[in-house]
Amino acid sequence: MSERILLRSGRLIDPPTGRDEVTDILIVDGTIHTIQRSITPGPEDKVVDLTGKIVAPGLIDIHVHLREPGYEHKETIETGTLSAAYGGFTAVCCMPNTNPAIDDESIVTFITTQGKKAHDGIVDVYPIASVSKAREGKTLAPIAELVHAGAVGLSDDGAPVFDAKLMRRALEYATMYKVPVMQHCEIPELAHGGVMNEGKVSTELGLPGIPGIAEEIMIARDLLLAEYTNSRYHVCHMSTAAAVDLVRQGKKKGISVTCEVTPHHFTVTDELVRSYDTNTKMNPPLRTQKDVDAIKEGLKDGTIDVIATDHAPHSLDEKEVDYIQAPFGIVGLETAIGLTVTELVKPGHLTLRQMIEKFSTNPRAIIGKPVTVAAGERANLSFIDPEAQWTVNIAAFRSKSKNSPFNGKVLTGKASGIYNHGKLMLY
Amino acid sequence: MALTSRHLLRLQGMPKDDITKILDTAISFKEILNRPIKKVPTLQGKTIVNLFFENSTRTRTSFELAERRLSADVLSFAASSSSVTKGETLKDTARNIEAMKIDMVVIRHNAAGTADFLSKVINANVINAGDGQHEHPTQGLLDMYTLREKFGSLEGLHVCIVGDVLHSRVARSNIFGLQTMGAKVSVCGPATLLPRGIEQLGVDVYHHIDDVLPKVDALNVLRIQMEREAGGYFPSLREFHRYFGVTKERLDRAGKPITILHPGPINRDVELSADVADGPHSVILEQVLNGVAIRMAVLYLLGASE
């Protein structure tokens, strides 16, 4: 007896096939059977009305901290994937700054196994393994073993691969296994001790600054290394205008570079730090309006490939300390769609199709897990209500942590469900 | 009578009327301090806690004296004896204080924003006695009081802040307060010790002290922390003294009397030579007395706002 689900009257936007139309979709046993304007439901079909909703190829967040193993008081694979599901994601890439770090195939296996157990595995968990052993930046992690165990990218995120020789070797070695090296761009000596963007606001607040050049110098160096080694390089959570321009120039030169930005970096500026709210503390820090404008421009012109959240859960106790002591990072999975529709789609910076490219097509291409919505394909879908008005309420977050500066913010656009591996969730 | 805010967290954005009110009120408290019996019953029955998470003998003594002169009940916590070192969060510490029904809290902390934070989580009046590199509003007020006493008005006065502006909360409070009162503020120091974007605060920036001396009425000379040399902000204390130290020889070359302020404690012959610190234009000891009067005025005005 096969399981049949009929998705009715949703607007299918599938960048890989170029489709953008209101249509019915029949899924049989987890595979897309028919896409047609109007399908008459059979007696056994479960019918889901998606009028007014968007049906997209499954969204992915390629920059998430699931905190397991090691920091289960902040988040677990179980809570993090539920948070992702409610944010409209059918997949996440989890960063290796766990304890122990993801620098051994057993840890990759552990994470993917836990991911398959959580919520019937509706959210795919793809580990990003560390570039260096224990993320210490000294010697290469066992990259081939890690990739064969299931890692889809390499990063020492949370810290940069500082040593230029190690970075060169990592880029060269990763090329053999077709995985990107995803760099947390920061010159440690320039960023050291800083807690917010260096500029007028940090000067007024008396908080130590992190200058934009700490990020930009690292990107400039890495672009030269990527060009020299002819390898694939990905810039994590880019935050400054000059960084956007460096990547733009790199792409023009034909360097194989991709990059991501977070929703908070295109939504708010360092002015928000005036509250001394530790939920405005993240790394890279919130920058200036000029940087926000440049990021929007970079998203529009295609320089910026991906929107990723840098979902970084921390417990209330850890954040409820003074600004300097507080850890960097905010949760992002459940506000990503809302912030993107509100800040980018509604004002006309991005079309819905471009938004889906940056949440699905492009990031999936970077890690080699493409999804398209076509007959015969496994159904991997996200449903979005682009007109839903809602108020962010941290108490309702599925994430174990509530560290968001957007509590109380009114947003337009919300995930209304996902479908993956034959399982359906609707909110 | 009362101020527009229940707390004193910063001078940035404080209305001119409020600053004037504090400076005016301090005049009568200074008179009291010069009487044989220096105590008034103004805050009788009020309990004030001095929460000093960072060492500061001077500021703490000045606050305690001001509180006792106003007849308040006074409790002082020092970081070493408090549970902060045991990992208690600031919020927990604050809640415990709150549970003891304290009326006012004076806080000194090594992180910017802690006074703001405290004011959001407790009901007592909060007075910032210095938060990290952010502000030290009572120091700014006592500096302005001292200058106003000397010059009659702050309007049109030109004050230069000399030295380590980057790490200085005194500098920030002086810049914001003096500008509100119509004074012109300049800063002078090594480029490595001036924070980025300082010129956007409306101050003139100098790197050669001899260039600014002929233009100013007063210098507020900041304490140079000895660890800045080790931090690599300048090559040596000797070089700092040679190029940024305020010396009698330099002041004589300026050809006019320049009033000298210093928030203390002084590193003699580093940022300030001994003969200048003890010289006829130094108002450093006046600042100390005025500090008590200013703190009495602040405590009184915030207490009166209840």
Side-chain angles (χ1 to χ4, degrees), chain B residues 193-244:
Chain B
L193 287 176
L194 299 180
R196 195 160 175 90
I198 186 78
E199 68 291 342
Q200 291 175 57
L201 304 191
V203 299
D204 287 348
V205 176
Y206 293 87
H207 299 300
H208 303 289
I209 195 156
D210 294 319
D211 293 348
V212 73
L213 284 179
K215 299 176 183 168
V216 298
D217 303 297
L219 293 181
N220 199 338
V221 185
L222 301 173
R223 175 180 165 80
I224 190 89
Q225 304 283 343
M226 296 302 180
E227 65 260 30
R228 302 300 171 217
E229 180 183 334
Y233 288 95
F234 49 84
S236 71
L237 286 168
R238 181 178 51 82
E239 180 162 310
F240 182 88
H241 179 68
R242 254 176 104 173
Y243 291 90
F244 295 95

Side-chain angles (χ1 to χ4, degrees), chain B residues 56 107 138 140 170 291:
Chain B
S56 161
I107 179 171
T138 56
V170 176

Side-chain angles (χ1 to χ4, degrees), chain A residues 198-200 202-208 211 274-277 317 320-325, chain B residues 10 12 89 91 109-114 116-117 120 133-134 172 176 195-196 198 200-201:
Chain A
E198 179 174 278
K200 178 171 183 270
S202 68
T203 289
E204 288 183 28
L205 296 181
L207 287 170
R274 289 187 189 280
S275 64
Y276 288 107
D277 176 357
D317 285 348
E320 225 168 45
V321 294
D322 69 74
Y323 206 88
I324 289 171
Q325 294 297 317
Chain B
R10 54 166 68 80
Q12 186 178 24
T89 69
K91 192 167 181 177
H109 199 286
N110 60 7
T114 40
D116 275 71
F117 176 78
K120 284 173 197 154
Q133 298 160 14
H134 177 222
R172 286 166 178 82
F176 298 131
R196 195 160 175 90
I198 186 78
Q200 291 175 57
L201 304 191

